[in-house]
PDB file of all heavy atoms in Angstrom:
ATOM      1  N   PHE A  16     -67.410 201.902 202.927  1.00  0.00           N
ATOM      2  CA  PHE A  16     -66.179 202.037 203.678  1.00  0.00           C
ATOM      3  C   PHE A  16     -64.960 201.781 202.802  1.00  0.00           C
ATOM      4  O   PHE A  16     -64.961 200.856 201.998  1.00  0.00           O
ATOM      5  CB  PHE A  16     -66.164 201.055 204.857  1.00  0.00           C
ATOM      6  CG  PHE A  16     -64.884 201.062 205.635  1.00  0.00           C
ATOM      7  CD1 PHE A  16     -64.662 202.009 206.618  1.00  0.00           C
ATOM      8  CD2 PHE A  16     -63.884 200.135 205.371  1.00  0.00           C
ATOM      9  CE1 PHE A  16     -63.472 202.035 207.331  1.00  0.00           C
ATOM     10  CE2 PHE A  16     -62.693 200.145 206.072  1.00  0.00           C
ATOM     11  CZ  PHE A  16     -62.493 201.104 207.059  1.00  0.00           C
ATOM     12  N   TYR A  17     -63.932 202.605 202.990  1.00  0.00           N
ATOM     13  CA  TYR A  17     -62.609 202.363 202.435  1.00  0.00           C
ATOM     14  C   TYR A  17     -61.586 202.616 203.520  1.00  0.00           C
ATOM     15  O   TYR A  17     -61.687 203.582 204.276  1.00  0.00           O
ATOM     16  CB  TYR A  17     -62.289 203.294 201.259  1.00  0.00           C
ATOM     17  CG  TYR A  17     -62.964 202.944 199.955  1.00  0.00           C
ATOM     18  CD1 TYR A  17     -64.072 203.650 199.517  1.00  0.00           C
ATOM     19  CD2 TYR A  17     -62.468 201.918 199.156  1.00  0.00           C
ATOM     20  CE1 TYR A  17     -64.683 203.345 198.316  1.00  0.00           C
ATOM     21  CE2 TYR A  17     -63.073 201.606 197.952  1.00  0.00           C
ATOM     22  CZ  TYR A  17     -64.175 202.318 197.531  1.00  0.00           C
ATOM     23  OH  TYR A  17     -64.778 202.010 196.336  1.00  0.00           O
ATOM     24  N   GLN A  18     -60.596 201.756 203.588  1.00  0.00           N
ATOM     25  CA  GLN A  18     -59.467 202.002 204.458  1.00  0.00           C
ATOM     26  C   GLN A  18     -58.834 203.323 204.022  1.00  0.00           C
ATOM     27  O   GLN A  18     -58.676 203.585 202.826  1.00  0.00           O
ATOM     28  CB  GLN A  18     -58.468 200.850 204.347  1.00  0.00           C
ATOM     29  CG  GLN A  18     -57.300 200.893 205.311  1.00  0.00           C
ATOM     30  CD  GLN A  18     -57.699 200.601 206.736  1.00  0.00           C
ATOM     31  OE1 GLN A  18     -57.304 201.320 207.643  1.00  0.00           O
ATOM     32  NE2 GLN A  18     -58.481 199.564 206.941  1.00  0.00           N
ATOM     33  N   ALA A  19     -58.459 204.153 205.001  1.00  0.00           N
ATOM     34  CA  ALA A  19     -57.938 205.478 204.680  1.00  0.00           C
ATOM     35  C   ALA A  19     -56.731 205.422 203.754  1.00  0.00           C
ATOM     36  O   ALA A  19     -56.571 206.282 202.874  1.00  0.00           O
ATOM     37  CB  ALA A  19     -57.578 206.224 205.965  1.00  0.00           C
ATOM     38  N   SER A  20     -55.891 204.428 203.920  1.00  0.00           N
ATOM     39  CA  SER A  20     -54.672 204.332 203.130  1.00  0.00           C
ATOM     40  C   SER A  20     -54.920 203.989 201.665  1.00  0.00           C
ATOM     41  O   SER A  20     -54.019 204.158 200.835  1.00  0.00           O
ATOM     42  CB  SER A  20     -53.722 203.305 203.745  1.00  0.00           C
ATOM     43  OG  SER A  20     -54.278 202.006 203.710  1.00  0.00           O
ATOM     44  N   VAL A  21     -56.119 203.508 201.340  1.00  0.00           N
ATOM     45  CA  VAL A  21     -56.412 203.130 199.958  1.00  0.00           C
ATOM     46  C   VAL A  21     -57.456 204.027 199.313  1.00  0.00           C
ATOM     47  O   VAL A  21     -57.690 203.932 198.098  1.00  0.00           O
ATOM     48  CB  VAL A  21     -56.870 201.655 199.847  1.00  0.00           C
ATOM     49  CG1 VAL A  21     -55.884 200.740 200.548  1.00  0.00           C
ATOM     50  CG2 VAL A  21     -58.274 201.466 200.413  1.00  0.00           C
ATOM     51  N   LYS A  22     -58.091 204.880 200.086  1.00  0.00           N
ATOM     52  CA  LYS A  22     -59.139 205.750 199.557  1.00  0.00           C
ATOM     53  C   LYS A  22     -58.579 206.622 198.436  1.00  0.00           C
ATOM     54  O   LYS A  22     -57.536 207.249 198.576  1.00  0.00           O
ATOM     55  CB  LYS A  22     -59.715 206.623 200.668  1.00  0.00           C
ATOM     56  CG  LYS A  22     -60.991 207.343 200.293  1.00  0.00           C
ATOM     57  CD  LYS A  22     -61.590 208.043 201.500  1.00  0.00           C
ATOM     58  CE  LYS A  22     -62.889 208.751 201.160  1.00  0.00           C
ATOM     59  NZ  LYS A  22     -63.946 207.799 200.754  1.00  0.00           N
ATOM     60  N   GLY A  23     -59.291 206.647 197.324  1.00  0.00           N
ATOM     61  CA  GLY A  23     -58.847 207.394 196.160  1.00  0.00           C
ATOM     62  C   GLY A  23     -57.999 206.580 195.209  1.00  0.00           C
ATOM     63  O   GLY A  23     -57.789 206.998 194.065  1.00  0.00           O
ATOM     64  N   ARG A  24     -57.514 205.434 195.662  1.00  0.00           N
ATOM     65  CA  ARG A  24     -56.700 204.563 194.819  1.00  0.00           C
ATOM     66  C   ARG A  24     -57.421 203.255 194.480  1.00  0.00           C
ATOM     67  O   ARG A  24     -57.258 202.734 193.383  1.00  0.00           O
ATOM     68  CB  ARG A  24     -55.372 204.222 195.500  1.00  0.00           C
ATOM     69  CG  ARG A  24     -54.499 205.433 195.798  1.00  0.00           C
ATOM     70  CD  ARG A  24     -53.115 205.002 196.289  1.00  0.00           C
ATOM     71  NE  ARG A  24     -53.182 204.274 197.559  1.00  0.00           N
ATOM     72  CZ  ARG A  24     -52.756 203.019 197.732  1.00  0.00           C
ATOM     73  NH1 ARG A  24     -52.232 202.348 196.718  1.00  0.00           N
ATOM     74  NH2 ARG A  24     -52.845 202.448 198.928  1.00  0.00           N
ATOM     75  N   PHE A  25     -58.194 202.739 195.434  1.00  0.00           N
ATOM     76  CA  PHE A  25     -58.904 201.479 195.251  1.00  0.00           C
ATOM     77  C   PHE A  25     -60.392 201.742 195.092  1.00  0.00           C
ATOM     78  O   PHE A  25     -60.944 202.677 195.694  1.00  0.00           O
ATOM     79  CB  PHE A  25     -58.721 200.561 196.463  1.00  0.00           C
ATOM     80  CG  PHE A  25     -57.335 200.009 196.655  1.00  0.00           C
ATOM     81  CD1 PHE A  25     -56.248 200.486 195.931  1.00  0.00           C
ATOM     82  CD2 PHE A  25     -57.124 198.994 197.573  1.00  0.00           C
ATOM     83  CE1 PHE A  25     -54.981 199.969 196.122  1.00  0.00           C
ATOM     84  CE2 PHE A  25     -55.863 198.469 197.774  1.00  0.00           C
ATOM     85  CZ  PHE A  25     -54.792 198.952 197.053  1.00  0.00           C
ATOM     86  N   THR A  26     -61.058 200.902 194.317  1.00  0.00           N
ATOM     87  CA  THR A  26     -62.503 200.989 194.142  1.00  0.00           C
ATOM     88  C   THR A  26     -63.113 199.601 194.211  1.00  0.00           C
ATOM     89  O   THR A  26     -62.692 198.704 193.488  1.00  0.00           O
ATOM     90  CB  THR A  26     -62.868 201.634 192.795  1.00  0.00           C
ATOM     91  OG1 THR A  26     -62.276 202.929 192.695  1.00  0.00           O
ATOM     92  CG2 THR A  26     -64.383 201.765 192.668  1.00  0.00           C
ATOM     93  N   ILE A  27     -64.101 199.435 195.088  1.00  0.00           N
ATOM     94  CA  ILE A  27     -64.839 198.183 195.154  1.00  0.00           C
ATOM     95  C   ILE A  27     -66.106 198.318 194.324  1.00  0.00           C
ATOM     96  O   ILE A  27     -66.746 199.374 194.319  1.00  0.00           O
ATOM     97  CB  ILE A  27     -65.173 197.792 196.613  1.00  0.00           C
ATOM     98  CG1 ILE A  27     -65.773 196.385 196.673  1.00  0.00           C
ATOM     99  CG2 ILE A  27     -66.095 198.812 197.264  1.00  0.00           C
ATOM    100  CD1 ILE A  27     -65.921 195.839 198.090  1.00  0.00           C
ATOM    101  N   SER A  28     -66.456 197.268 193.614  1.00  0.00           N
ATOM    102  CA  SER A  28     -67.684 197.258 192.842  1.00  0.00           C
ATOM    103  C   SER A  28     -68.243 195.847 192.819  1.00  0.00           C
ATOM    104  O   SER A  28     -67.531 194.878 193.085  1.00  0.00           O
ATOM    105  CB  SER A  28     -67.454 197.774 191.415  1.00  0.00           C
ATOM    106  OG  SER A  28     -66.533 196.951 190.715  1.00  0.00           O
ATOM    107  N   ARG A  29     -69.529 195.736 192.523  1.00  0.00           N
ATOM    108  CA  ARG A  29     -70.152 194.421 192.494  1.00  0.00           C
ATOM    109  C   ARG A  29     -71.093 194.295 191.313  1.00  0.00           C
ATOM    110  O   ARG A  29     -71.691 195.273 190.866  1.00  0.00           O
ATOM    111  CB  ARG A  29     -70.890 194.138 193.810  1.00  0.00           C
ATOM    112  CG  ARG A  29     -72.008 195.118 194.132  1.00  0.00           C
ATOM    113  CD  ARG A  29     -72.500 194.935 195.575  1.00  0.00           C
ATOM    114  NE  ARG A  29     -73.110 193.627 195.775  1.00  0.00           N
ATOM    115  CZ  ARG A  29     -73.357 193.089 196.963  1.00  0.00           C
ATOM    116  NH1 ARG A  29     -73.027 193.758 198.068  1.00  0.00           N
ATOM    117  NH2 ARG A  29     -73.923 191.899 197.055  1.00  0.00           N
ATOM    118  N   ASP A  30     -71.214 193.078 190.828  1.00  0.00           N
ATOM    119  CA  ASP A  30     -72.105 192.736 189.733  1.00  0.00           C
ATOM    120  C   ASP A  30     -73.018 191.638 190.257  1.00  0.00           C
ATOM    121  O   ASP A  30     -72.680 190.457 190.212  1.00  0.00           O
ATOM    122  CB  ASP A  30     -71.313 192.271 188.516  1.00  0.00           C
ATOM    123  CG  ASP A  30     -72.188 191.924 187.334  1.00  0.00           C
ATOM    124  OD1 ASP A  30     -73.429 191.912 187.471  1.00  0.00           O
ATOM    125  OD2 ASP A  30     -71.628 191.658 186.254  1.00  0.00           O
ATOM    126  N   ASN A  31     -74.177 192.047 190.784  1.00  0.00           N
ATOM    127  CA  ASN A  31     -75.077 191.089 191.419  1.00  0.00           C
ATOM    128  C   ASN A  31     -75.637 190.061 190.443  1.00  0.00           C
ATOM    129  O   ASN A  31     -75.914 188.925 190.819  1.00  0.00           O
ATOM    130  CB  ASN A  31     -76.225 191.823 192.108  1.00  0.00           C
ATOM    131  CG  ASN A  31     -75.771 192.619 193.311  1.00  0.00           C
ATOM    132  OD1 ASN A  31     -74.816 192.244 193.992  1.00  0.00           O
ATOM    133  ND2 ASN A  31     -76.458 193.720 193.589  1.00  0.00           N
ATOM    134  N   ALA A  32     -75.811 190.454 189.190  1.00  0.00           N
ATOM    135  CA  ALA A  32     -76.359 189.543 188.190  1.00  0.00           C
ATOM    136  C   ALA A  32     -75.427 188.370 187.936  1.00  0.00           C
ATOM    137  O   ALA A  32     -75.875 187.287 187.554  1.00  0.00           O
ATOM    138  CB  ALA A  32     -76.647 190.285 186.894  1.00  0.00           C
ATOM    139  N   ASN A  33     -74.135 188.586 188.135  1.00  0.00           N
ATOM    140  CA  ASN A  33     -73.150 187.548 187.866  1.00  0.00           C
ATOM    141  C   ASN A  33     -72.422 187.067 189.113  1.00  0.00           C
ATOM    142  O   ASN A  33     -71.433 186.334 189.010  1.00  0.00           O
ATOM    143  CB  ASN A  33     -72.144 188.051 186.831  1.00  0.00           C
ATOM    144  CG  ASN A  33     -72.772 188.255 185.470  1.00  0.00           C
ATOM    145  OD1 ASN A  33     -73.178 187.297 184.824  1.00  0.00           O
ATOM    146  ND2 ASN A  33     -72.879 189.503 185.042  1.00  0.00           N
ATOM    147  N   ASN A  34     -72.898 187.476 190.283  1.00  0.00           N
ATOM    148  CA  ASN A  34     -72.319 187.046 191.559  1.00  0.00           C
ATOM    149  C   ASN A  34     -70.825 187.331 191.629  1.00  0.00           C
ATOM    150  O   ASN A  34     -70.022 186.467 192.008  1.00  0.00           O
ATOM    151  CB  ASN A  34     -72.590 185.559 191.798  1.00  0.00           C
ATOM    152  CG  ASN A  34     -74.050 185.238 191.998  1.00  0.00           C
ATOM    153  OD1 ASN A  34     -74.899 186.126 192.092  1.00  0.00           O
ATOM    154  ND2 ASN A  34     -74.368 183.948 192.079  1.00  0.00           N
ATOM    155  N   MET A  35     -70.457 188.559 191.271  1.00  0.00           N
ATOM    156  CA  MET A  35     -69.055 188.951 191.254  1.00  0.00           C
ATOM    157  C   MET A  35     -68.844 190.233 192.045  1.00  0.00           C
ATOM    158  O   MET A  35     -69.685 191.139 192.030  1.00  0.00           O
ATOM    159  CB  MET A  35     -68.560 189.171 189.828  1.00  0.00           C
ATOM    160  CG  MET A  35     -68.593 187.938 188.944  1.00  0.00           C
ATOM    161  SD  MET A  35     -67.343 186.704 189.418  1.00  0.00           S
ATOM    162  CE  MET A  35     -65.835 187.601 189.039  1.00  0.00           C
ATOM    163  N   VAL A  36     -67.724 190.313 192.724  1.00  0.00           N
ATOM    164  CA  VAL A  36     -67.282 191.548 193.345  1.00  0.00           C
ATOM    165  C   VAL A  36     -65.834 191.774 192.930  1.00  0.00           C
ATOM    166  O   VAL A  36     -65.067 190.814 192.782  1.00  0.00           O
ATOM    167  CB  VAL A  36     -67.454 191.521 194.882  1.00  0.00           C
ATOM    168  CG1 VAL A  36     -66.603 190.425 195.510  1.00  0.00           C
ATOM    169  CG2 VAL A  36     -67.136 192.886 195.475  1.00  0.00           C
ATOM    170  N   TYR A  37     -65.488 193.040 192.724  1.00  0.00           N
ATOM    171  CA  TYR A  37     -64.171 193.385 192.219  1.00  0.00           C
ATOM    172  C   TYR A  37     -63.494 194.400 193.124  1.00  0.00           C
ATOM    173  O   TYR A  37     -64.141 195.159 193.842  1.00  0.00           O
ATOM    174  CB  TYR A  37     -64.269 193.988 190.812  1.00  0.00           C
ATOM    175  CG  TYR A  37     -64.984 193.109 189.821  1.00  0.00           C
ATOM    176  CD1 TYR A  37     -66.335 193.285 189.557  1.00  0.00           C
ATOM    177  CD2 TYR A  37     -64.300 192.106 189.144  1.00  0.00           C
ATOM    178  CE1 TYR A  37     -66.995 192.482 188.642  1.00  0.00           C
ATOM    179  CE2 TYR A  37     -64.948 191.298 188.229  1.00  0.00           C
ATOM    180  CZ  TYR A  37     -66.296 191.494 187.982  1.00  0.00           C
ATOM    181  OH  TYR A  37     -66.934 190.686 187.071  1.00  0.00           O
ATOM    182  N   LEU A  38     -62.180 194.421 193.058  1.00  0.00           N
ATOM    183  CA  LEU A  38     -61.399 195.460 193.701  1.00  0.00           C
ATOM    184  C   LEU A  38     -60.391 195.973 192.686  1.00  0.00           C
ATOM    185  O   LEU A  38     -59.425 195.283 192.359  1.00  0.00           O
ATOM    186  CB  LEU A  38     -60.682 194.936 194.947  1.00  0.00           C
ATOM    187  CG  LEU A  38     -59.919 195.995 195.762  1.00  0.00           C
ATOM    188  CD1 LEU A  38     -60.906 196.970 196.412  1.00  0.00           C
ATOM    189  CD2 LEU A  38     -59.035 195.346 196.818  1.00  0.00           C
ATOM    190  N   GLN A  39     -60.645 197.168 192.179  1.00  0.00           N
ATOM    191  CA  GLN A  39     -59.716 197.819 191.269  1.00  0.00           C
ATOM    192  C   GLN A  39     -58.686 198.563 192.096  1.00  0.00           C
ATOM    193  O   GLN A  39     -59.035 199.410 192.916  1.00  0.00           O
ATOM    194  CB  GLN A  39     -60.448 198.793 190.345  1.00  0.00           C
ATOM    195  CG  GLN A  39     -59.538 199.549 189.385  1.00  0.00           C
ATOM    196  CD  GLN A  39     -58.888 198.649 188.361  1.00  0.00           C
ATOM    197  OE1 GLN A  39     -59.558 197.800 187.766  1.00  0.00           O
ATOM    198  NE2 GLN A  39     -57.585 198.803 188.158  1.00  0.00           N
ATOM    199  N   MET A  40     -57.421 198.247 191.893  1.00  0.00           N
ATOM    200  CA  MET A  40     -56.340 198.826 192.673  1.00  0.00           C
ATOM    201  C   MET A  40     -55.403 199.586 191.746  1.00  0.00           C
ATOM    202  O   MET A  40     -54.787 198.997 190.860  1.00  0.00           O
ATOM    203  CB  MET A  40     -55.573 197.741 193.428  1.00  0.00           C
ATOM    204  CG  MET A  40     -56.460 196.869 194.309  1.00  0.00           C
ATOM    205  SD  MET A  40     -55.514 195.677 195.295  1.00  0.00           S
ATOM    206  CE  MET A  40     -54.846 194.643 193.989  1.00  0.00           C
ATOM    207  N   ASN A  41     -55.298 200.886 191.961  1.00  0.00           N
ATOM    208  CA  ASN A  41     -54.424 201.744 191.178  1.00  0.00           C
ATOM    209  C   ASN A  41     -53.350 202.360 192.063  1.00  0.00           C
ATOM    210  O   ASN A  41     -53.490 202.407 193.281  1.00  0.00           O
ATOM    211  CB  ASN A  41     -55.232 202.855 190.496  1.00  0.00           C
ATOM    212  CG  ASN A  41     -56.265 202.333 189.538  1.00  0.00           C
ATOM    213  OD1 ASN A  41     -56.064 201.324 188.867  1.00  0.00           O
ATOM    214  ND2 ASN A  41     -57.402 203.030 189.463  1.00  0.00           N
ATOM    215  N   SER A  42     -52.299 202.842 191.436  1.00  0.00           N
ATOM    216  CA  SER A  42     -51.195 203.489 192.158  1.00  0.00           C
ATOM    217  C   SER A  42     -50.712 202.634 193.317  1.00  0.00           C
ATOM    218  O   SER A  42     -50.536 203.109 194.444  1.00  0.00           O
ATOM    219  CB  SER A  42     -51.624 204.874 192.649  1.00  0.00           C
ATOM    220  OG  SER A  42     -52.014 205.699 191.574  1.00  0.00           O
ATOM    221  N   LEU A  43     -50.486 201.375 193.044  1.00  0.00           N
ATOM    222  CA  LEU A  43     -50.093 200.437 194.087  1.00  0.00           C
ATOM    223  C   LEU A  43     -48.742 200.794 194.693  1.00  0.00           C
ATOM    224  O   LEU A  43     -47.843 201.270 193.998  1.00  0.00           O
ATOM    225  CB  LEU A  43     -50.055 199.020 193.530  1.00  0.00           C
ATOM    226  CG  LEU A  43     -51.434 198.379 193.347  1.00  0.00           C
ATOM    227  CD1 LEU A  43     -51.360 197.196 192.395  1.00  0.00           C
ATOM    228  CD2 LEU A  43     -51.993 197.944 194.701  1.00  0.00           C
ATOM    229  N   GLN A  44     -48.626 200.568 195.984  1.00  0.00           N
ATOM    230  CA  GLN A  44     -47.425 200.843 196.743  1.00  0.00           C
ATOM    231  C   GLN A  44     -46.937 199.567 197.405  1.00  0.00           C
ATOM    232  O   GLN A  44     -47.717 198.647 197.629  1.00  0.00           O
ATOM    233  CB  GLN A  44     -47.707 201.901 197.815  1.00  0.00           C
ATOM    234  CG  GLN A  44     -48.293 203.193 197.288  1.00  0.00           C
ATOM    235  CD  GLN A  44     -48.787 204.127 198.376  1.00  0.00           C
ATOM    236  OE1 GLN A  44     -49.454 205.101 198.097  1.00  0.00           O
ATOM    237  NE2 GLN A  44     -48.455 203.840 199.626  1.00  0.00           N
ATOM    238  N   PRO A  45     -45.632 199.493 197.743  1.00  0.00           N
ATOM    239  CA  PRO A  45     -45.143 198.292 198.429  1.00  0.00           C
ATOM    240  C   PRO A  45     -45.921 197.959 199.695  1.00  0.00           C
ATOM    241  O   PRO A  45     -46.061 196.783 200.040  1.00  0.00           O
ATOM    242  CB  PRO A  45     -43.687 198.658 198.749  1.00  0.00           C
ATOM    243  CG  PRO A  45     -43.311 199.595 197.650  1.00  0.00           C
ATOM    244  CD  PRO A  45     -44.548 200.409 197.388  1.00  0.00           C
ATOM    245  N   GLU A  46     -46.446 198.967 200.376  1.00  0.00           N
ATOM    246  CA  GLU A  46     -47.224 198.761 201.589  1.00  0.00           C
ATOM    247  C   GLU A  46     -48.548 198.054 201.332  1.00  0.00           C
ATOM    248  O   GLU A  46     -49.207 197.611 202.280  1.00  0.00           O
ATOM    249  CB  GLU A  46     -47.487 200.097 202.296  1.00  0.00           C
ATOM    250  CG  GLU A  46     -46.238 200.763 202.868  1.00  0.00           C
ATOM    251  CD  GLU A  46     -45.354 201.405 201.807  1.00  0.00           C
ATOM    252  OE1 GLU A  46     -45.855 201.725 200.706  1.00  0.00           O
ATOM    253  OE2 GLU A  46     -44.153 201.580 202.082  1.00  0.00           O
ATOM    254  N   ASP A  47     -48.958 197.953 200.076  1.00  0.00           N
ATOM    255  CA  ASP A  47     -50.177 197.237 199.727  1.00  0.00           C
ATOM    256  C   ASP A  47     -49.944 195.736 199.608  1.00  0.00           C
ATOM    257  O   ASP A  47     -50.902 194.978 199.417  1.00  0.00           O
ATOM    258  CB  ASP A  47     -50.754 197.756 198.405  1.00  0.00           C
ATOM    259  CG  ASP A  47     -51.186 199.207 198.490  1.00  0.00           C
ATOM    260  OD1 ASP A  47     -51.826 199.580 199.502  1.00  0.00           O
ATOM    261  OD2 ASP A  47     -50.902 199.963 197.548  1.00  0.00           O
ATOM    262  N   THR A  48     -48.706 195.303 199.693  1.00  0.00           N
ATOM    263  CA  THR A  48     -48.387 193.884 199.594  1.00  0.00           C
ATOM    264  C   THR A  48     -49.079 193.112 200.709  1.00  0.00           C
ATOM    265  O   THR A  48     -48.920 193.428 201.889  1.00  0.00           O
ATOM    266  CB  THR A  48     -46.875 193.664 199.663  1.00  0.00           C
ATOM    267  OG1 THR A  48     -46.257 194.252 198.512  1.00  0.00           O
ATOM    268  CG2 THR A  48     -46.545 192.179 199.698  1.00  0.00           C
ATOM    269  N   ALA A  49     -49.857 192.101 200.336  1.00  0.00           N
ATOM    270  CA  ALA A  49     -50.621 191.324 201.307  1.00  0.00           C
ATOM    271  C   ALA A  49     -51.371 190.222 200.580  1.00  0.00           C
ATOM    272  O   ALA A  49     -51.440 190.203 199.349  1.00  0.00           O
ATOM    273  CB  ALA A  49     -51.619 192.215 202.051  1.00  0.00           C
ATOM    274  N   ILE A  50     -51.936 189.303 201.352  1.00  0.00           N
ATOM    275  CA  ILE A  50     -52.929 188.395 200.816  1.00  0.00           C
ATOM    276  C   ILE A  50     -54.271 189.101 200.924  1.00  0.00           C
ATOM    277  O   ILE A  50     -54.636 189.590 201.991  1.00  0.00           O
ATOM    278  CB  ILE A  50     -52.968 187.056 201.579  1.00  0.00           C
ATOM    279  CG1 ILE A  50     -51.608 186.362 201.501  1.00  0.00           C
ATOM    280  CG2 ILE A  50     -54.052 186.155 201.008  1.00  0.00           C
ATOM    281  CD1 ILE A  50     -51.526 185.096 202.339  1.00  0.00           C
ATOM    282  N   TYR A  51     -54.992 189.148 199.828  1.00  0.00           N
ATOM    283  CA  TYR A  51     -56.286 189.814 199.789  1.00  0.00           C
ATOM    284  C   TYR A  51     -57.400 188.778 199.814  1.00  0.00           C
ATOM    285  O   TYR A  51     -57.390 187.818 199.040  1.00  0.00           O
ATOM    286  CB  TYR A  51     -56.401 190.686 198.544  1.00  0.00           C
ATOM    287  CG  TYR A  51     -55.632 191.981 198.667  1.00  0.00           C
ATOM    288  CD1 TYR A  51     -54.238 191.985 198.648  1.00  0.00           C
ATOM    289  CD2 TYR A  51     -56.296 193.196 198.830  1.00  0.00           C
ATOM    290  CE1 TYR A  51     -53.525 193.168 198.792  1.00  0.00           C
ATOM    291  CE2 TYR A  51     -55.595 194.379 198.970  1.00  0.00           C
ATOM    292  CZ  TYR A  51     -54.212 194.362 198.951  1.00  0.00           C
ATOM    293  OH  TYR A  51     -53.503 195.531 199.090  1.00  0.00           O
ATOM    294  N   TYR A  52     -58.366 188.987 200.714  1.00  0.00           N
ATOM    295  CA  TYR A  52     -59.462 188.053 200.910  1.00  0.00           C
ATOM    296  C   TYR A  52     -60.804 188.688 200.573  1.00  0.00           C
ATOM    297  O   TYR A  52     -61.062 189.836 200.928  1.00  0.00           O
ATOM    298  CB  TYR A  52     -59.525 187.594 202.373  1.00  0.00           C
ATOM    299  CG  TYR A  52     -58.317 186.830 202.849  1.00  0.00           C
ATOM    300  CD1 TYR A  52     -57.243 187.489 203.439  1.00  0.00           C
ATOM    301  CD2 TYR A  52     -58.258 185.447 202.729  1.00  0.00           C
ATOM    302  CE1 TYR A  52     -56.134 186.795 203.888  1.00  0.00           C
ATOM    303  CE2 TYR A  52     -57.154 184.744 203.179  1.00  0.00           C
ATOM    304  CZ  TYR A  52     -56.093 185.421 203.759  1.00  0.00           C
ATOM    305  OH  TYR A  52     -55.002 184.728 204.210  1.00  0.00           O
ATOM    306  N   CYS A  53     -61.638 187.930 199.928  1.00  0.00           N
ATOM    307  CA  CYS A  53     -63.019 188.302 199.684  1.00  0.00           C
ATOM    308  C   CYS A  53     -63.882 187.726 200.806  1.00  0.00           C
ATOM    309  O   CYS A  53     -63.647 186.605 201.267  1.00  0.00           O
ATOM    310  CB  CYS A  53     -63.458 187.744 198.326  1.00  0.00           C
ATOM    311  SG  CYS A  53     -65.188 188.013 197.894  1.00  0.00           S
ATOM    312  N   ALA A  54     -64.881 188.497 201.257  1.00  0.00           N
ATOM    313  CA  ALA A  54     -65.759 188.031 202.321  1.00  0.00           C
ATOM    314  C   ALA A  54     -67.197 188.460 202.056  1.00  0.00           C
ATOM    315  O   ALA A  54     -67.440 189.456 201.371  1.00  0.00           O
ATOM    316  CB  ALA A  54     -65.293 188.578 203.673  1.00  0.00           C
TER     317      ALA A  54
END
């Protein structure tokens, strides 16, 4: 799943061996301003 407003700009990925998840955010817009939470 990707929120429609971020599809094509954001990419989620995970590294299970290192217990890490990432969010690569490109072409950021002022509307992306927020607190971002991992869950």
Side-chain angles (χ1 to χ4, degrees):
F16 176 83
Y17 284 102
Q18 186 71 227
S20 64
V21 308
K22 192 173 181 64
R24 299 188 297 120
F25 291 11
T26 303
I27 188 171
S28 61
R29 60 191 296 165
D30 181 353
N31 291 329
N33 293 293
N34 294 353
M35 297 290 294
V36 62
Y37 305 96
L38 185 68
Q39 178 66 46
M40 305 185 294
N41 299 325
S42 301
L43 284 162
Q44 305 170 191
E46 293 75 22
D47 296 316
T48 295
I50 300 175
Y51 283 71
Y52 297 91
C53 176

